[in-house]
Amino acid sequence: MTFEDFQIQFHDYPFFEGENLSKLENEKEKSAPRFRVEEEGSAITIFQEIGESIEEKTISIYGDNLIDLKIEQRYSTNLSINDEGPHCDLKDWKTYSSEWKPIKELVNESIHISFLFNNPKKLKTQKYNEEERKKFHSVSIKELKREVYYECGYDWLIRIKDLESINDYRCSIGISGYFLRITAKRKSDGKEIVHLININSPLGC
């Protein structure tokens, strides 16, 4: 995946390995794409499918003109209402967002040297435990039912008419997005650059 100042490679995420943004755009044109990519300014948004995850993936950053390079990661969760298969996702309602945490650099490992850049940095993305995956805001059940009605209709409201808590088996909280923030300074002019990679993850089984 190529930005103006650097290239980022996902080594063990099959749908990105060895690919650049132009190839991903070609993938988006297929009738049944594995993922979609949208680019806007300094941010790229990736829409992945159920079962795909950016967690514990090795990435390399190539960029000779950069100093003070830092990559941070965060995640978001959303609430979904389930009914033995079908589900009502409330991704446009309340969202919990974790704090940004730096990704640690891997050291003393042999890595591929790109012909584009020298001295790449190799890092591994974070993995989240079950407690982290279930973090969410305190919500009013009345407000929740109103949102279910607006988002998914009266039939879904009837299914949760006796709901008293988001800890009910019909409610599930899951990760709906991963975010990578790359910050650095250019050696040539000292300008700080910030780029975001937003990975949209579908809720559900």
Side-chain angles (χ1 to χ4, degrees):
M1 185 178 295
T2 303
F3 291 84
E4 179 182 355
D5 298 286
F6 62 90
Q7 183 184 75
I8 182 169
Q9 182 178 4
F10 293 77
H11 289 277
D12 46 2
Y13 194 28
F15 308 109
F16 292 97
E17 189 168 4
E19 299 288 351
N20 57 34
L21 187 57
S22 62
K23 292 181 181 179
L24 294 177
E25 287 293 342
N26 291 335
E27 183 73 15
K28 187 175 67 172
E29 299 301 323
K30 296 181 181 179
S31 58
R34 293 290 293 155
F35 47 77
R36 293 186 292 126
V37 175
E38 295 181 353
E39 184 177 15
E40 182 178 351
S42 61
I44 291 178
T45 300
I46 299 164
F47 296 84
Q48 63 181 12
E49 292 191 344
I50 291 176
E52 298 172 2
S53 174
I54 200 68
E55 295 182 39
E56 284 197 306
K57 303 303 181 188
T58 304
I59 60 178
S60 289
I61 300 288
Y62 307 88
D64 275 350
N65 190 36
L66 299 179
I67 58 174
D68 299 333
L69 178 66
K70 180 172 66 173
I71 304 182
E72 299 166 288
Q73 180 177 329
R74 75 188 302 180
Y75 70 96
S76 63
T77 63
N78 283 95
L79 184 64
S80 180
I81 307 298
N82 305 300
D83 185 23
E84 298 181 354
H87 48 91
C88 169
D89 296 337
L90 304 177
K91 296 185 75 170
D92 294 328
W93 190 44
K94 296 181 182 293
T95 298
Y96 167 82
S97 296
S98 70
E99 296 181 353
W100 288 105
K101 292 186 178 180
I103 297 176
K104 293 183 179 180
E105 183 176 357
L106 299 176
V107 295
N108 299 326
E109 291 194 23
S110 60
I111 59 178
H112 167 69
I113 303 298
S114 168
F115 68 90
L116 293 175
F117 304 107
N118 295 319
N119 304 318
K121 287 183 178 291
K122 191 174 185 181
L123 310 96
K124 177 159 286 192
T125 56
Q126 299 167 10
K127 181 177 176 61
Y128 301 110
N129 59 37
E130 194 65 22
E131 181 180 354
E132 291 171 311
R133 294 173 180 276
K134 298 302 180 184
K135 287 188 176 182
F136 200 66
H137 303 287
S138 297
V139 299
S140 159
I141 296 303
K142 182 178 180 180
E143 186 181 2
L144 169 60
K145 290 180 178 180
R146 182 169 61 246
E147 183 64 22
V148 168
Y149 173 71
Y150 288 149
E151 187 69 28
C152 299
Y154 181 74
D155 288 345
W156 277 97
L157 178 61
I158 293 300
R159 299 181 198 192
I160 61 167
K161 62 182 180 180
D162 59 343
L163 189 74
E164 297 181 354
S165 167
I166 62 172
N167 295 321
D168 187 282
Y169 71 94
R170 289 164 290 185
C171 296
S172 65
I173 298 168
I175 291 180
S176 55
Y178 300 93
F179 308 90
L180 299 177
R181 181 169 66 184
I182 302 105
T183 58
K185 288 183 180 180
R186 292 187 185 132
K187 292 179 183 178
S188 56
D189 57 14
K191 181 180 179 180
E192 183 178 66
I193 62 168
V194 180
H195 290 282
L196 296 173
I197 300 176
N198 307 317
I199 302 170
N200 190 306
S201 184
L203 296 170
C205 302

